[in-house]
Amino acid sequence: MRQTGGREPIPDRGEVAFGLDEIFYSRTDQRGVIRAGNSVFRRVSGHDWKDLIGAPHKIIRHPDMPRAVFWLLWQTIQGGQPVAAYVKNRARDGRHYWVFAVVLPIEGEFLSVRIKPSAPLFEIVRTEYDALRAREQDENLPPEASATLLLARLGELGFSGYADFMSRALSQELAVRDAASGRARCERLAEIEAVSDSLGAAAREQRDLIRTFGALKSVPTNIRILANRLEPAGGPITAISENYKTASGEIVTRLNGFAGQQDNLCDRMGRVVGDAVFLMGCAEVQSELVRQFRAEAGTPGPGDSAAEMASLTALEAACNTRARTGLAEAMRVARTLSQASNDLRRMVAGLDSIRVMGRVECGRLTTGGESLSSMIEDLDIYHGAIKDRLEAIIRLSERIHCGAERYASRAA
């Protein structure tokens, strides 16, 4: 027996088994009342159709689940956006079963498509859920406050937000399914992974670029301080310092719009590409659901199976259309990011000419030249690092564009 906060003891008789290759779904109205599902859903839940159809979806809710997860799910789907989450459900006989659920808003309804979670991320999530649920109970946290804790924890784990988490989780789960099946990795799914990996690498380069430029800020000030000791006011070293400060200030302003301030270009690319990757995964899951539902033809179930098949097929087409739209936006933003990186690279090249003038002045000085030379060497290092970062972002932007383009061509 297992005790949950404030509830009667609930028997936990183990886990309901279902195959990694199986996929199941339920369709609800906007209130969360179950309208339809497939045979795998009925079997795994342990309920008869007469008990499922017309029942609230919470009939399968497990008390171990953090309330924060459902709060985030409802906030997202009520805004018309698809969402995904790891969910622990409860079968009729008290056993439990874990799923990775992709929830898709459709006209006046919601479709929840579920696969068996098996990626390495799943074990991390289980631990985090246990800790979060304990805090909810111990501190009597409302769902919104708990969701804030969950999002903060995801940030600590390296995710930029919940959208980033669910996109990467879906990609990993689809990869595990393909590997376990023994079949070759689907080319379209391989493109998903390539785009997602490139995006992660671009985000790392962005963070390194900002750190490098932050370290560079003090150099022109130090040069000006040195100039005050070495020459009269307005001398050539002072002029070099002022010119460098002005030019680097323009770059910092551009860099803030590129990667520094809130909702910058790099963040927008991350959001757009992450959304596109998630939509691609949703399309793949929905396509697999349609294939399996078609194979169930003739299996006893609720309602009109032909009408349900038509509805699922229409949603499959809608998912693919939405994924292609997301890909087109991802390609547009990737091109913009590449162009902005090239512009920054040209501006840094302009700084190089000022740096060269500083090196010339080092040779002219009879005293203090070593100190100035050391500062110029620092600039050499920073400039080289900045150009390397920008080159990497340009390459990754182009890789994201090409990967999205290849996926779109295969999905057409």
Side-chain angles (χ1 to χ4, degrees), residues 132-158:
L132 183 59
R133 183 60 180 145
R135 286 197 64 176
E136 286 182 346
Q137 294 174 331
D138 293 344
E139 302 173 30
N140 195 26
L141 293 175
E144 187 172 1
S146 180
T148 299
L149 292 176
L150 175 58
L151 294 175
R153 181 60 182 147
L154 288 176
E156 293 171 359
L157 292 171

Side-chain angles (χ1 to χ4, degrees), residues 21-22 33 69 71 79 90 104 109 120 125 262 294 388-389 392 394:
D21 61 326
E22 291 187 295
V33 174
V69 177
W71 188 87
R90 187 181 179 213
L104 306 167
E109 296 180 320
V125 168
Q262 188 175 8
R294 184 177 290 116
D388 288 345
R389 302 293 180 206
I394 291 168

